[in-house]
Amino acid sequence: MIAASAQSIARRVAARQDSAGAVVAAAIERARAVQSRTNAFTEILPEHALARAHALDAALDAGAAPGPLCGVPVVIKDNICTTAGHTTCASRILAGYRSPFDATAVARLAAAGAVVIAKANMDEFGMGSSTERSAYGPASHPTASGRVPGGSSGGSAIAVASGVVPIALGSDTGGSIRQPAAFCGVVGLKPTYGRVSRLGLVAYASSLDQIGPIAGSVADAALALRVIAGHDPADATSLPDAAADMSQPLGRAPASLRVGVVGPEATEGLHPGVRAALDRAAGALRDAGAHLVPVQMPHAEHAIAAYYLIATAEASSNLARFDGVRFGRRAALGPLDGIDELYTRSRSEGFGPEVTRRVLLGTFALSSGYADQYYGRALRARRLIKGDYDAAFAHGCHALLTPVTPGPAFMIGEKTSDPLSMYLQDAFTVGVNLAGLPALSLPMGTTPDRGQELPVGVQLVGPPMGEPALLAIAALVENAGTSHA
Ligand code: GLN
């Protein structure tokens, strides 16, 4: 069940047909019910949210101009800083941490009239694909019992798929917006690198991280992007022309639309439900007048290796700040313990096993004598992968159609003992981050799997700053999963 759209909530609140207070109170009630089934939230914020909503109502009653998201309840992934509540990245090392400022994306949502009602559960520091690696315990799929919701933005995807909020923020370093969106049957948009400010996003891998929306529809994802995108002088990687031009109406495709489709060899081993979803999407694109053209991605097979070297290398450096002195919870020390024990014990107690593994891998990949062999080669592979995408777009493709994941949501516990099988989940998403491109995960119906019916998505990848066309194309085929099923 998806909530009323953000557009319709904002319209009704602006017209004073609904009060922000009533909308937010209902969202909080629903969040509590969903929390008891799924563990989607690290924290629900009733006091903050109701106070904000009542202040909004008072301002609107006094004649203030309504923002485009006025009265819309939203959920924020817990690695994005909010002054409301805590920001823990679902890690013990940040237990109790309160941010002194709002992330730029959060401030922009608030300025548009949105109300933060909860922080979302996630894999610790964004490291995972299942939301099982959280200090708050695993989250569960919103409709299929015993399954994961995907990750690492699992809580954000559950919140939207369960009708708590129409829009949630996630972060995507290697698929963490798109993969849970696909598993839960909602829309997920990873913007072009530099489109949305990273100020206030706790860094995992800075050259890959990007904040983006998870939403119940393409139109709401577009609305959220328009609000959060834009240049931010406080983020050195923010693009000067980052504001999203959404003047292109949704549902109208670019003239002579061309969509690239990767050859069958790239999609070997796919779950039959994912293949069927790709066929449905391709059929809908053809019906809409698109020309489907085969494209080659000769270096795609190196994406996982390159990603897991670059992401862990950057993580080992970014997470060095959590030392129990400047940042992070400090371990209790004995009278004879020194600074080394302080660092070691604080970090050992504070980080979970997957984060520890990533820091060790990354430190090794960067260590002297090995850096060129591992990190250096990964950077070279990254350039080749980017070149594959550049070539596809140079041939006039407006977007590429690919899977999001090899299969639908897997069972809780199915992949936790084998990190490599978890990493392989990311085969179709990490290349997009390595190349800095925008990509959207679009629900495309459901598939049976081991006795359960599960959502399945497809991915549309665009050229840099190609979000307007990407959203327009997605809106064209948005309902193909149900109508063609
Ligand atoms: N699953 C990938 C990882 O563990 C991607 C995570 C993300 O995008 N934050 O690194």
Side-chain angles (χ1 to χ4, degrees), residues 77 79 123 125-130 151-153 171-179 204 209 307-308 311 354 358 422-423 425-426 429-430 433:
K77 186 177 183 180
N79 61 348
D123 289 296
F125 284 105
M127 298 176 187
S129 309
S130 66
S152 62
S153 313
S171 67
D172 193 311
T173 304
S176 278
I177 289 173
R178 292 160 285 156
Q179 187 254 24
Y204 160 13
D209 297 338
Y307 170 83
Y308 275 95
E354 184 60 27
R358 304 282 181 108
M422 188 76 88
Y423 300 169
Q425 277 300 304
D426 304 332
T429 49
V430 293
N433 301 74

Side-chain angles (χ1 to χ4, degrees), residues 157-388:
I158 298 168
V160 174
S162 312
V164 175
V165 288
I167 292 168
L169 289 189
S171 67
D172 193 311
T173 304
S176 278
I177 289 173
R178 292 160 285 156
Q179 187 254 24
F183 278 11
C184 294
V186 291
V187 176
L189 175 64
K190 182 260 175 219
T192 305
Y193 185 77
R195 174 76 99 170
V196 178
S197 170
R198 290 184 297 111
L199 183 76
L201 169 64
V202 179
Y204 160 13
S206 311
S207 77
L208 303 161
D209 297 338
Q210 193 63 189
I211 292 175
I214 294 181
S217 66
V218 173
D220 274 357
L223 176 57
L225 179 69
R226 195 170 63 210
V227 168
I228 63 175
H231 180 66
D232 181 359
D235 171 2
T237 58
S238 169
L239 296 168
D241 53 351
D245 170 15
M246 293 293 156
S247 49
Q248 187 160 350
L250 291 180
R252 177 129 46 86
S256 58
L257 174 59
R258 284 164 71 88
V259 176
V261 182
V262 285
E265 68 287 348
T267 54
E268 256 168 46
L270 282 186
H271 186 283
V274 173
R275 261 181 214 288
L278 285 170
D279 290 345
R280 281 197 291 277
L285 284 165
R286 261 191 227 102
D287 291 352
H291 188 51
L292 300 189
V293 294
V295 296
Q296 249 88 55
M297 289 279 153
H299 302 98
E301 61 182 303
H302 303 297
I304 295 225
Y307 170 83
Y308 275 95
L309 284 163
I310 292 169
T312 56
E314 294 186 21
S316 71
S317 157
N318 275 325
L319 270 55
R321 64 171 64 94
F322 301 105
D323 56 9
V325 178
R326 289 167 307 159
F327 289 98
R329 184 177 153 277
R330 183 174 300 185
L333 292 183
L336 297 179
D337 288 335
I339 189 79
D340 288 340
E341 283 88 357
L342 170 68
Y343 291 151
T344 311
R345 213 169 296 157
S346 298
R347 286 168 69 82
S348 308
E349 290 173 9
F351 291 141
E354 184 60 27
V355 172
T356 304
R357 174 164 29 240
R358 304 282 181 108
V359 170
L360 289 172
L361 274 172
T363 306
F364 179 72
L366 287 176
S367 57
S368 92
Y370 293 98
D372 188 58
Q373 195 179 339
Y374 292 103
Y375 184 65
R377 283 173 78 187
L379 290 182
R380 288 193 283 280
R382 180 180 196 168
R383 253 193 315 277
L384 294 170
I385 290 162
K386 170 129 184 18
D388 286 354

